[in-house]
Amino acid sequence: MAQAILLFGENIRFSMWDDLFGETVQSVFYGGVLAGAIISGQLSDIVGRKIIIHASLVCEAVFGLALSLCWNYYLVVVLMFFVGFFQQGIHLTVFVRYMEMFTPENRSIAGGIGNIMWGIGVALITPIAYLLPNWRHLQMTISLVCLIGIPFYWFFHESVRWLISRGRIDEAEKILQNIAKFNNISAPERLLTSSNSVKDDPLQSEKTDEPCLTLETRVFAGDDHHGSLGETYVSSGRSDVNFRETTTSPFAKVHDTVNGHSELAPTSHTNLLHLLRRPILLCNYVFMCYCWFVNSLVYYGLFLNSVNLAGNKYLNIFLLCMVEIPSSIFIIIALKWLPRRWCQSISFLIAGIFCIMTGSIPDKTDNGTDLGPLIVTAATLGKFSISFSFCLVFVYTSEWLPTVVRNVGMGGTSLFARAGAMVAPFLVYLGGVDISLPLIIFGIVSLIASGLALFFPETLNRTMPTTITDAEKLARESSLCKSRLAT
C-alpha cells in the first residue's frame, strides 16, 4: 500500500527538497523492501511464519503512522525504509504460509485467490487516494488497516509443513487434531508418530544405514462426509523419504508421491547456500531471480508510466489496477490444466510483444488519425500479461523451493524483484529522451525471460519438496537443463 504515496503524493512539500524527495524516497522505500525480503525471509524460516507475519503487521502500522505525522525530511526517508521493510515481512511470508496449506492440485487456486485479493487491495487504493488527496491522510488510513489483522494472531496457527520440517512433530500433531475437531472429522488418536530420533545431515543424498523418517499422509473423511483431514505418519525407514497424500474422501482426490534420499529431520542448519551448491538448482535459482527482476521491472515500469497516458490519472491507474483481477482469475483456470513452465514462458512472450508494440505505435498516422486508444489497449494487454506472469512466479517459486529454505529462497528472488522496482522509475525517466525507449527495453528483457523460463522444473500436480535433495530430484526429472547439470 505504501506505493500509493509514491503515485498520489504529489502534494508532498519539503521546501528545497521538492525535486529530490520523490526519487530518493522511492529508492529508499524499495531498498527497505529489498532488505525485508532477505531478513524477514530468513527469520520466518527460523522462528516461524506466524510470529513474523504479526510482528510485521504491528511494525508496519507503527512506522506508517509515524510517517504520516513526520515533517522532517531525513526522518521521512528513514521511516519510508522501515515501511518497505515490514511490508515484505507481511506480503512474502503470508504468501508462503497459505501456499503451504494446500495440496498440489489446489495450490494454483489458492495462489490465484491470494492474487485476486492483492488486485482488489491495489484497486481500492485509487478511490481512497481520490477521496483523501492529502498524502498524510492517505498514509494514516492505509497504516491503520494493518491493525485489523492483529486479532487473528489468536486464531492463526503455525504452518504444519514448517513445523514438521523443523522436527516439531508434537506441535504439528496438536494443530492437526484441532483442525479435525473444528471440522467434526473423525481422525485417529495419533496422526503423527516418530519412532526414531534423527540427527543425520538433512542434505545427505547418499543411501545410509542410519534410519530416516518416512512421512505418509492419508486423508480421512468425516462420518458426515463434510470434510477431510490429512493423516500423517512419520515412521522409521532406511534410505528414502516417501511423501504420499491419498484421499478417501468423496470430495477430494489427492495422490502424490515424491521419493527423495534425504530424511525429514530438523534442519536448523540448512540455508540457501546448501541449495546453491547443487548445480541444477543453482541454474534454476539464477534464472528464477532474473524472471523476478523482469516481472517487477516491467510491472512497476508500466504502472509508473500509466500517468503519462491520455485521460484522467486516477482513472488510468484504476483501470490498470483492475487488470490484476482478471489476470488472477485466468491464472486459476490456466494452472488447473496447463504446465507452469509453459505458462510462465508464454506470459513473458506476450508481455514483451505488447510492450514493444506500445513503444512502436506512433501517436498519429500520416493522415492525422489518433492512435491513442490503440496505444492504451496495447499497454493494457501488456500489463495484463505481466500481471499474470507476476502472479504465476509467486506460485511457481514456492512450489519448487524446498520447505527448509522456501521462505528465505523466496526472499532472495524477491530481492531481485525489488532491484527491478528500483530500476523501473529511472527507465521511465528515459522517456524524456525517447518516449518509446523504456517500453522497448521492457519488451526485450521480457523476451529473454521467456526463453529462460523454459529451463525451470515442471511442478504441475507435484508435491512441494521438503528437503534440498527432494528439490534436486524434482529438477532432474523435469528440467530441460537436466542433461548437463544433473550430475
Side-chain angles (χ1 to χ4, degrees):
M1 289 185 177
Q3 288 97 325
I5 305 304
L6 304 178
L7 278 173
F8 300 113
E10 66 268 36
N11 59 344
I12 298 174
R13 290 294 179 267
F14 280 94
S15 184
M16 63 180 291
W17 302 105
D18 286 357
D19 295 333
L20 184 61
F21 183 87
E23 295 180 5
T24 303
V25 170
Q26 184 159 290
S27 297
V28 169
F29 170 79
Y30 285 114
V33 173
L34 185 151
I38 301 173
I39 298 175
S40 66
Q42 184 70 68
L43 286 176
S44 68
D45 280 337
I46 295 173
V47 303
R49 310 335 188 188
K50 178 179 178 179
I51 294 177
I52 297 301
I53 290 171
H54 289 88
S56 296
L57 280 170
V58 173
C59 293
E60 182 76 3
V62 170
F63 282 97
L65 289 171
L67 177 63
S68 68
L69 300 173
C70 181
W71 290 88
N72 181 274
Y73 171 76
Y74 296 105
L75 187 55
V76 165
V77 172
V78 172
L79 291 173
M80 206 63 167
F81 175 88
F82 285 105
V83 167
F85 182 96
F86 291 111
Q87 183 202 58
Q88 198 66 5
I90 300 169
H91 183 211
L92 185 63
T93 312
V94 165
F95 186 86
V96 170
R97 170 65 184 83
Y98 70 70
M99 286 298 292
E100 290 178 337
M101 293 172 58
F102 296 92
T103 51
E105 70 265 25
N106 292 320
R107 284 198 298 264
S108 59
I109 298 176
I113 292 175
N115 285 313
I116 289 174
M117 296 299 103
W118 164 271
I120 293 174
V122 172
L124 286 175
I125 286 293
T126 307
I128 294 174
Y130 181 80
L131 295 173
L132 300 173
N134 187 296
W135 75 271
R136 296 184 184 278
H137 299 159
L138 176 60
Q139 177 62 47
M140 185 177 295
T141 301
I142 60 179
S143 298
L144 290 172
V145 171
C146 295
L147 298 178
I148 298 176
I150 303 303
F152 288 100
Y153 180 86
W154 289 272
F155 305 95
F156 189 89
H157 64 76
E158 185 55 84
S159 167
V160 174
R161 285 182 181 271
W162 179 82
L163 289 172
I164 293 176
S165 74
R166 310 299 289 189
R168 295 161 62 174
I169 306 299
D170 290 339
E171 294 177 58
E173 169 71 28
K174 183 177 180 180
I175 291 172
L176 292 176
Q177 292 290 351
N178 288 337
I179 293 173
K181 181 178 179 180
F182 181 84
N183 290 283
N184 291 322
I185 295 172
S186 176
E189 182 178 351
R190 183 72 180 178
L191 295 171
L192 294 166
T193 61
S194 180
S195 57
N196 293 82
S197 62
V198 180
K199 298 182 180 180
D200 302 322
D201 178 6
L203 304 176
Q204 181 69 29
S205 60
E206 292 81 16
K207 291 188 177 183
T208 176
D209 292 333
E210 295 297 324
C212 62
L213 296 181
T214 299
L215 176 64
E216 181 177 322
T217 303
R218 296 190 185 94
V219 181
F220 286 84
D223 295 336
D224 56 359
H225 300 297
H226 283 93
S228 61
L229 176 72
E231 179 184 358
T232 308
Y233 294 97
V234 183
S235 59
S236 175
R238 278 290 174 185
S239 61
D240 291 334
V241 172
N242 301 313
F243 182 33
R244 293 186 293 172
E245 298 179 3
T246 59
T247 305
T248 57
S249 167
F251 297 101
K253 185 178 182 181
V254 183
H255 184 71
D256 266 298
T257 303
V258 174
N259 297 315
H261 294 97
S262 57
E263 63 283 349
L264 193 59
T267 55
S268 59
H269 300 296
T270 306
N271 57 54
L272 190 59
L273 292 178
H274 291 105
L275 182 140
L276 299 180
R277 290 171 185 167
R278 311 293 176 95
I280 193 169
L281 298 182
L282 173 63
C283 170
N284 291 334
Y285 194 74
V286 170
F287 290 172
M288 188 65 79
C289 286
Y290 176 78
C291 287
W292 276 69
F293 174 86
V294 172
N295 268 310
S296 186
L297 175 69
V298 179
Y299 179 91
Y300 288 109
L302 292 176
F303 195 65
L304 294 172
N305 194 59
S306 64
V307 296
N308 298 323
L309 299 177
N312 183 273
K313 178 184 72 172
Y314 290 94
L315 180 60
N316 289 339
I317 296 176
F318 178 75
L319 292 175
L320 287 178
C321 290
M322 289 299 294
V323 168
E324 304 281 343
I325 298 175
S327 70
S328 298
I329 295 174
F330 181 68
I331 200 172
I332 294 176
I333 299 172
L335 292 187
K336 191 68 177 178
W337 295 283
L338 301 179
R340 271 73 158 144
R341 178 166 53 208
W342 288 103
C343 286
Q344 190 76 73
S345 179
I346 292 172
S347 61
F348 274 127
L349 177 65
I350 296 174
I353 291 173
F354 279 111
C355 283
I356 294 175
M357 285 180 59
T358 304
S360 302
I361 300 173
D363 294 336
K364 295 182 179 180
T365 62
D366 293 338
N367 59 9
T369 303
D370 183 17
L371 297 180
L374 182 60
I375 295 174
V376 173
T377 300
T380 302
L381 292 174
K383 179 64 164 51
F384 175 89
S385 299
I386 203 65
S387 296
F388 177 92
S389 178
F390 219 160
C391 291
L392 173 58
V393 79
F394 272 91
V395 178
Y396 205 174
T397 306
S398 68
E399 285 185 332
W400 78 265
L401 284 173
T403 302
V404 290
V405 294
R406 181 170 296 122
N407 217 73
V408 69
M410 289 196 68
T413 57
S414 183
L415 182 153
F416 283 86
R418 298 321 128 197
M422 295 174 71
V423 172
F426 295 100
L427 287 183
V428 173
Y429 179 78
L430 292 178
V433 179
D434 185 340
I435 194 171
S436 64
L437 185 58
L439 293 165
I440 298 299
I441 295 175
F442 295 155
I444 292 174
V445 296
S446 296
L447 294 178
I448 295 173
S450 175
L452 294 180
L454 294 174
F455 290 90
F456 295 152
E458 182 52 60
T459 60
L460 178 64
N461 291 330
R462 300 265 190 150
T463 300
M464 297 172 79
T466 298
T467 64
I468 302 291
T469 303
D470 294 338
E472 186 177 30
K473 182 174 182 180
L474 174 64
R476 287 180 175 180
E477 292 176 346
S478 60
S479 176
L480 292 181
C481 58
K482 62 184 177 181
S483 60
R484 293 188 178 183
L485 297 175
T487 58

